[in-house]
Amino acid sequence: MSQSHAQAYFGRRYTLSASHRLHTETLTAAQNRAAYGKCNNPYGHGHNYVVEILVGGRVNPETGMVVDLAGLDALVGAQILARFDRTNLNADPAFVERVPTTENLCCTIFALLKDGLPAGKLESVRIEETENNSFECCGVPWSRPAPENHREDK
Ligand code: NI
């Protein structure tokens, strides 16, 4: 990339409320309880996730921006918020075969956004799940759509 233009990062936060249950059929009931603790509760529970999208790239000399804010909002609204906000994550196709941990939610969001940005490069998707827990994905080996192409061993 040309160094004749300034490089910068732009971060934007979105909020997303969803429920999930951490459980995998590959473990026994006891192993699920041991692995996930109260998050394995059969009735599930919810989070108000704070999703931070970090985009890096060249500062457009004309607009002074790394990425068009309205374009990014439209992409996140259509691909992420419309799909996941106020839903049960376990019911989404992305989480049929993958446990809806926040690690996996981060990586799914990364996959859904990475090829659609109006400009710049998706650097990371960071999610604050609670005031104590945060997760960050900086790359995934699969392309969108995430649900169908997520297996690395094929
Ligand atoms: Ni949880």
Side-chain angles (χ1 to χ4, degrees):
M1 186 181 285
S2 166
Q3 295 302 308
S4 61
H5 296 286
Q7 307 287 311
Y9 296 105
F10 171 70
R12 184 147 171 87
R13 290 158 78 92
Y14 301 87
T15 57
L16 187 172
S17 299
S19 65
H20 67 172
R21 180 195 183 202
L22 303 186
H23 181 87
T24 174
E25 298 298 334
T26 63
L27 298 178
T28 66
Q31 287 170 329
N32 269 290
R33 279 195 298 276
Y36 301 121
K38 63 186 179 183
C39 296
N40 184 240
N41 157 19
Y43 302 107
H45 61 276
H47 293 286
N48 295 316
Y49 298 101
V50 177
V51 180
E52 187 169 306
I53 308 297
L54 186 67
V55 179
R58 160 181 179 266
V59 179
N60 182 310
E62 196 170 50
T63 65
M65 299 192 296
V66 170
V67 62
D68 172 62
L69 178 59
L72 181 65
D73 282 356
L75 176 71
V76 173
Q79 293 291 325
I80 307 304
L81 302 181
R83 178 167 177 171
F84 298 119
D85 191 30
R86 290 172 170 77
T87 67
N88 171 9
L89 296 177
N90 296 73
D92 188 280
F95 301 111
V96 168
E97 294 182 1
R98 285 187 295 156
V99 184
T101 59
T102 305
E103 291 92 328
N104 280 337
L105 180 60
C106 264
C107 295
T108 297
I109 290 174
F110 195 103
L112 289 167
L113 296 180
K114 71 174 187 175
D115 296 327
L117 292 181
K121 173 176 175 285
L122 183 59
E123 300 287 346
S124 68
V125 173
R126 180 175 178 275
I127 299 182
E128 292 177 11
E129 182 191 64
T130 68
E131 64 180 17
N132 296 321
N133 293 348
S134 67
F135 304 83
E136 190 160 357
C137 175
C138 300
V140 292
W142 66 84
S143 296
R144 56 189 293 264
E148 288 76 17
N149 295 337
H150 73 271
R151 289 202 196 95
E152 296 162 50
D153 56 351
K154 283 194 171 173

